[in-house]
Amino acid sequence: LSELVSFIRTYPVSSYANEVYYMLGEIYFEMGRYGEAVDNYQKAVKNSPRETWASAVNTKIGWAWFKAGNFFESLAQFKRALEYYSRDENADSILFGVAQSYRNLKDYDKSILYFDKVIERYPASGFAVEALFWKAGALLEQGDYIQAKVMYEKLLDSFKQTSFAHS
């Protein structure tokens, strides 16, 4: 960590600065220091013209806000990312982030809508399994026990070997 910070101080305009900021963001994220992660991720994408890079980093910013418990900010970040990267390889993560942010904001109708998008558009994604699980939970929160039971049964039938099916 200290070597990366020292590199940025010594070579602030280096062609490697974006990558170093990204690495710092990753380290801070793993340490649970989400505000510092966001700061470094934002610096990483500020001057980066690579769209794929920007998509991944903007998605990471959304997840950092989410982990920090700032669901309004995470929702805003994921929605921005969705505008620009809806056809990107990170689209499943972005849609799932939108759904989870709405769920944590207790807007269950919108969370269910986005969980359904993950399930329908990305059935082979690891996020599809989680989306089924959390959709059932959102249905429970709404008091729709019959639909929640249907979702849990679908989860158990379709994903018997996953950790979510056994939780």
Side-chain angles (χ1 to χ4, degrees), residues 31-92:
M31 293 172 72
R33 293 165 60 177
Y34 302 114
E36 290 165 286
V38 168
D39 290 342
N40 282 282
Y41 287 143
Q42 288 173 335
K43 290 174 185 174
V45 294
K46 185 177 180 184
N47 299 312
S48 182
R50 295 182 295 198
E51 193 168 305
T52 304
W53 171 271
S55 168
V57 178
N58 278 300
T59 303
K60 286 285 201 170
I61 293 169
W63 284 115
W65 283 123
F66 183 86
K67 291 279 198 175
N70 190 332
F71 305 119
F72 288 108
E73 228 14 88
S74 68
L75 179 61
Q77 183 64 35
F78 286 129
K79 289 190 118 186
R80 271 192 300 275
L82 198 56
E83 285 179 40
Y84 296 105
Y85 312 111
S86 62
R87 300 191 193 287
D88 189 85
E89 64 186 36
N90 294 312
D92 59 345

Side-chain angles (χ1 to χ4, degrees), residues 117-129:
K117 288 180 182 187
V118 173
I119 295 163
E120 292 165 12
R121 293 181 190 174
Y122 306 99
S125 165
F127 288 106
V129 176

Side-chain angles (χ1 to χ4, degrees), residues 12 25 51 64 68 73 81 104 123 126 133 137 145 147:
E51 193 168 305
E73 228 14 88
N104 280 280
F133 178 82
Y145 303 113
Q147 278 303 105

Side-chain angles (χ1 to χ4, degrees), residues 14-28:
S14 166
S15 61
Y16 298 107
N18 290 339
E19 286 84 357
V20 173
Y21 281 124
Y22 178 76
M23 286 188 268
L24 284 167
E26 290 287 273
I27 291 167
Y28 286 126

